[in-house]
Amino acid sequence: MNYNQDNPSTIKIDKSKFTFVHFNNAMAEPKILTKESGYFKDAMIRFAKNRGSLICFFIILLLVLYAILAPVFSSYSISDKDGYYAYASPKCSLFKNTAFWDGCSSIEVNEQNFDYLNNIPGAVKKVYGKKTYNAANIPQDWYKIKVDDYAKVGWIKKLLTKEEYQAAKNYEETTGIQLFYPVIDRSKIKSPVYKNDQNAWFETDDHGFAIKDKDGNIKDIFLYDNTEGKNEIQYYISRMEGTQLETRVLYKEWYKYEKGKYASFLFGADNSGYDIFTRLAYGARLSLLLSICVAAINLFLGIIIGSLEGYYGGTFDLIAERIKEILYQVPSVILMTLFQLYFAKKLGPVFSMFFAFIFFGWIGTSSTVRAQFYRFKGQEYVMASRTLGAKDSRLIFRHIFPNAIGFIITTSVLTIPGVIFSEANLTYLGIVNLQSDTMSSVGTMLNGAQASLSTHPHCVFFPAAFISILLICFNEFGNGLRDAFNPSLRGSEK
């Protein structure tokens, strides 16, 4: 290369010093090797990295499966009711020989009640100890014992026809299991507390203390047949001119005779003798189905009204906002009460509550959609589409609405726990009554169990645990979706 500093234009460069970068190949950007990621796929990837929300999602899935499958596999139906097993403790066959979940409860009783329970087969499982207390300078023994809630029912009175009695006697002979026991001579019962009790088969004083012989054995007060020189124990009393027989049966074995199995409630029984495991599943079904339907309808109404408000604005937006403000100021409890008073008799409590939730439930969704439309309708890509002749429907559903879908999904998901919580509150307070043989709800179960919170906590524990876990997980799941569908938070989870 020759270079003259005084005359730069005289520079001469040899062409052989240059080579073409792309001589035979066309110019192009390097090929992207990774797969493309859409909006929803990218949101799901971010959601999967949120471990807390992901765990809550699987917990919700398990609770939904419980609500669907529990009644199918349960040995009890929603209408199965047994007053003899009211407040029975939870019992699981896997924990049969343990001190946990075995259908037993630990109580402290005085001497009269100890004698009463101790003479029922299998009622007293274990005696932890005995203490003596002085009440009005009178010493009295108290026992701390472990009681089987299923065996302590003991004997009951049963009226049977001769055919039913004979069939049960044949069962006794075939299986070797005793069903019938001697009937009690009521005239020998001194304590008024035990006057009609089939378990008071032993002699007591006026205060209910068992009378024992010198060897410590109690004396029975069975009814004997002394006619025609007989001295036989009676196992039944003829009633209604011989058409019915009054018998005394051990209920635990009689239950198996009738049902083909011993009573065993996995979550225990409530105050009416319903199986909590089955009733809770039906209550969960009702809560989930009601909340999903309400959320879906409110989502539809909210999207339509919010879209029209946000896109067109003006007079329609002004009128719609004033209507929403009026509806929003109406207390939900008063509204629910009015719906139950005027529509529950015609439509039923469930449909009445359903329409009450829809009456004002769409307001939150419509406000969210309206805000998103105001945010996006002034963007350049929307104005460009309008300039090219795009119709309003295309601008709304193809350009603006897809950008707001993330916030809308999050709002709809968070609506579900809100409806569940409101339904539980209304049924718990008694404003809505869903208690029947064919219907149940979590709030109704809590309402019926509140009186036995200190004595039978399992009646409250399982419904309260279910709704608490469900609401916590739904809120955490909704928060995870909110973060995942917000592109501005991309990368913050790392």
Side-chain angles (χ1 to χ4, degrees), residues 330-341:
V330 178
S332 58
V333 175
I334 295 177
L335 184 65
M336 286 292 179
T337 305
L338 292 175
F339 268 73
Q340 289 299 311
L341 289 175

Side-chain angles (χ1 to χ4, degrees), residues 116-170:
Y116 174 86
L117 292 171
N118 199 37
N119 288 289
I120 298 174
V124 178
K125 289 291 185 180
K126 186 176 181 180
V127 179
Y128 294 107
K130 181 177 73 171
K131 292 183 179 180
T132 302
Y133 298 97
N134 290 322
N137 295 324
I138 301 175
Q140 189 174 19
D141 294 332
W142 283 75
Y143 297 82
K144 187 175 183 181
I145 58 176
K146 181 181 180 181
V147 180
D148 189 327
D149 288 345
Y150 297 84
K152 74 176 184 180
V153 176
W155 294 275
I156 65 167
K157 181 175 71 174
K158 199 75 178 175
L159 292 175
L160 304 172
T161 63
K162 290 184 178 180
E163 292 78 12
E164 291 172 338
Y165 178 78
Q166 189 58 48
K169 291 295 290 184
N170 294 336

